[in-house]
Amino acid sequence: MGFVLCFPGFKRKAACFSYDDGVLQDRELVRLFRKHHMRATFNLIPGTYEKRVIRKDKDGNDIDCSHLSLSESLKLYEGMEIANHSLTHPWLNALDAQGNRAEIAAAEQALYEQFGTEVRGFAYPFGTYGTATLETLQDLGYSYARPTRSTYRFSSPASWLSWQPTIHHRDSLLWQTLETFLATEEELPVFFVWGHAYEFAIDHNFDIMDALLSRLEGADDVAVMTCLEVAEYKKAASLVYEIRRVDNHRLVNPSSMDIDMLFEGKPMRIPAYSEVVL
């Protein structure tokens, strides 16, 4: 008897987006996600609200890439996942255990108090981290953490605290990798994109994101989720899979969320904390 795990809504695939720093260009990025009825993950630095940043665009012109104010952030990111990007964006691999905890825990507390939501995702500043960083995140109960190295793959990480993304939106292999993803027969594949919204302003190409979201919106078998939703769902689904490996006569879901699957080609939902005898 064959079964195939699915994402919520019996979708065979998922995509998620992780964008850093909380900059002015997030206004347009959030607009595009809302246009396509999608949610994304925004990694914020509560110690740098309203920080002034000027960058050069591809033509050498100054582009205001400053950080948003807290008041605007509260409204802009409503409905999106708020994740931790540290308090001041340091090189965490250069800090000791106390320094890592100060940066991570203080930012988490600030974001919780400001947005009123539990913060369980993290994006490493500069993509770097050390043993003390990992120990801090594990101790604080983080569900996942994202570095910056593209894998061009769609599978689960060996460790969710080192969940490397599939690709950066600036990568020349973006569209090729997307089509590979859409054609894959892997179980529970994830197309994981990351970047900074100001890069679209620098390159004058927000239309790339619009086209990317349109392509995903038109794919019937893709669920666009936040990074936390993907991580938590895949962890829960993996429990069903592991129990299935040792017991062919029942499907057990010990997690707190419903798990969708196809059983002999037909949709089947295993409710939270339940089992189905086959």
Side-chain angles (χ1 to χ4, degrees), residues 66-87:
S66 299
H67 294 203
L68 292 163
S69 67
L70 172 58
S71 60
E72 183 174 359
S73 297
L74 292 174
K75 181 177 181 180
L76 179 67
Y77 300 119
E78 186 174 356
M80 303 292 170
E81 180 195 351
I82 301 300
N84 190 345
H85 199 31
S86 78
L87 184 65

Side-chain angles (χ1 to χ4, degrees), residues 3-177:
F3 77 103
V4 179
L5 291 167
C6 299
F7 286 101
F10 304 99
K11 304 288 187 178
R12 295 290 301 274
K13 306 175 175 71
C16 58
F17 295 83
S18 177
Y19 277 80
D20 296 353
D21 295 356
V23 294
L24 296 178
Q25 287 74 24
D26 279 355
R27 296 166 177 167
E28 177 62 11
L29 191 55
V30 170
R31 187 191 72 79
L32 290 175
F33 282 117
R34 296 198 195 284
K35 170 186 174 181
H36 295 282
H37 313 289
M38 297 174 181
R39 299 170 64 222
T41 298
F42 289 89
N43 310 296
L44 305 186
I45 316 167
T48 63
Y49 291 125
E50 299 184 74
K51 179 182 177 181
R52 178 76 168 167
V53 180
I54 301 296
R55 302 180 187 273
K56 296 289 186 182
D57 71 2
K58 65 178 184 177
D59 300 319
N61 301 311
D62 286 345
I63 297 290
D64 187 357
C65 302
S66 299
H67 294 203
L68 292 163
S69 67
L70 172 58
S71 60
E72 183 174 359
S73 297
L74 292 174
K75 181 177 181 180
L76 179 67
Y77 300 119
E78 186 174 356
M80 303 292 170
E81 180 195 351
I82 301 300
N84 190 345
H85 199 31
S86 78
L87 184 65
T88 64
H89 205 280
W91 295 83
L92 292 174
N93 60 326
L95 300 180
D96 61 12
Q98 183 177 2
N100 269 273
R101 192 171 188 90
E103 279 287 336
I104 297 169
E108 177 185 337
Q109 182 63 28
L111 292 171
Y112 173 75
E113 292 176 354
Q114 292 159 1
F115 290 87
T117 184
E118 186 177 14
V119 177
R120 299 183 60 199
F122 192 81
Y124 295 108
F126 307 108
T128 65
Y129 55 93
T131 301
T133 316
L134 294 173
E135 291 175 348
T136 299
L137 291 171
Q138 186 172 17
D139 184 54
L140 292 174
Y142 275 76
S143 177
Y144 74 89
R146 192 218 77 213
T148 57
R149 179 178 60 82
S150 296
T151 64
Y152 307 103
R153 296 180 180 179
F154 320 116
S155 54
S156 298
S159 168
W160 285 99
L161 293 184
S162 184
W163 183 16
Q164 300 284 4
T166 303
I167 199 166
H168 189 286
H169 73 255
R170 269 180 160 174
D171 198 304
S172 62
L173 296 177
L174 177 65
W175 296 106
Q176 177 183 329
T177 305

